Amino acid sequence: MNLIQALRLPNSQAVMTNIARFHYQNIYNAGLTPPIVTQSNLTFQIKGYTRNYRFLRLDYACVIYIADRIAVVASNGIDTLSSGFSGCYMASFRHNGIRYVAHIPTPNNSIKTSWNRAVKNRIIDNVVLFKPTEGLARIPGTIGIWGIITFNDRCYRLDVNENAPPSQAIRGQRIFNSIPRNPILTEIPSIAGGQMP
């Protein structure tokens, strides 16, 4: 089963609760590796994890947001998610034969220029880029925007009700007893050409 299939199950609320619990309990435990620097001076920092949700026979990966850096996780053949979108981009691409999925912070000029140069010069290839918040006028306070790029490069926004009591917050992140309502899954088109506008 893949992540999108799991989130379309009648019990998707329970599925998302378990995914969110694991994610927020482990978000600070995923260590950093030395950065990968491409020929275009584009730097990727590997920060994420892969997970096996045994009950559903579901494998997925997660890339974790890092401020002012492009975070990536290797994700050959599995769906990948990320959380905490407010204007960032999410992308999949290949570099040196490895498929990565990235969480790109709301880009400053340096990140944007380096990314676009790497795409244009084919330093990275098979690029799929999208903005999970595309089309949203504003994000309600209790809604968390997550992004998903599937193993076959389809892009989704996942609206998750993150209305957890303040007593359940750890290091600024929320841990859930449960997700109060089913998450909303919306397919979002990728940006043609893979370059940031």
Side-chain angles (χ1 to χ4, degrees):
M1 177 175 298
N2 64 41
L3 194 52
I4 299 304
Q5 290 169 329
L7 291 170
R8 288 186 171 144
L9 291 173
N11 66 341
S12 65
Q13 185 175 353
V15 171
M16 195 61 217
T17 294
N18 284 313
I19 288 172
R21 261 194 210 134
F22 183 84
H23 179 66
Y24 283 127
Q25 287 169 358
N26 289 280
I27 198 166
Y28 292 99
N29 295 332
L32 288 171
T33 64
I36 300 166
V37 182
T38 70
Q39 300 164 25
S40 65
N41 295 324
L42 185 63
T43 302
F44 306 122
Q45 192 80 49
I46 296 177
K47 186 165 178 74
Y49 57 86
T50 56
R51 169 89 164 129
N52 176 265
Y53 188 168
R54 287 186 210 103
F55 179 71
L56 294 176
R57 296 187 181 138
L58 167 67
D59 291 314
Y60 66 91
C62 182
V63 59
I64 298 171
Y65 166 82
I66 306 174
D68 299 322
R69 293 190 199 173
I70 298 174
V72 298
V73 67
S75 63
N76 290 320
I78 58 176
D79 296 347
T80 305
L81 62 84
S82 193
S83 66
F85 286 93
S86 60
C88 301
Y89 290 84
M90 192 169 179
S92 70
F93 62 93
R94 287 199 176 275
H95 178 63
N96 290 337
I98 300 171
R99 180 185 186 256
Y100 293 98
V101 174
H103 187 134
I104 306 167
T106 303
N108 59 37
N109 285 336
S110 170
I111 289 175
K112 181 177 175 177
T113 301
S114 296
W115 175 269
N116 288 345
R117 186 181 306 124
V119 172
K120 181 180 176 183
N121 295 334
R122 301 193 54 77
I123 309 278
I124 57 176
D125 57 17
N126 296 339
V127 177
V128 173
L129 177 73
F130 86 111
K131 191 173 188 177
T133 56
E134 189 64 38
L136 294 176
R138 67 178 192 81
I139 302 168
T142 60
I143 301 297
I145 304 299
W146 293 45
I148 298 173
I149 294 184
T150 65
F151 69 96
N152 58 353
D153 289 327
R154 294 181 72 175
C155 306
Y156 293 87
R157 175 179 66 237
L158 184 63
D159 302 355
V160 179
N161 191 326
E162 293 188 341
N163 190 13
S167 63
Q168 302 236 318
I170 290 187
R171 297 189 203 174
Q173 299 295 331
R174 296 172 182 172
I175 294 179
F176 307 94
N177 285 326
S178 65
I179 299 293
R181 64 168 174 75
N182 286 341
I184 299 170
L185 190 63
T186 307
E187 189 163 5
I188 306 290
S190 60
I191 296 169
Q195 293 191 33
M196 291 181 211

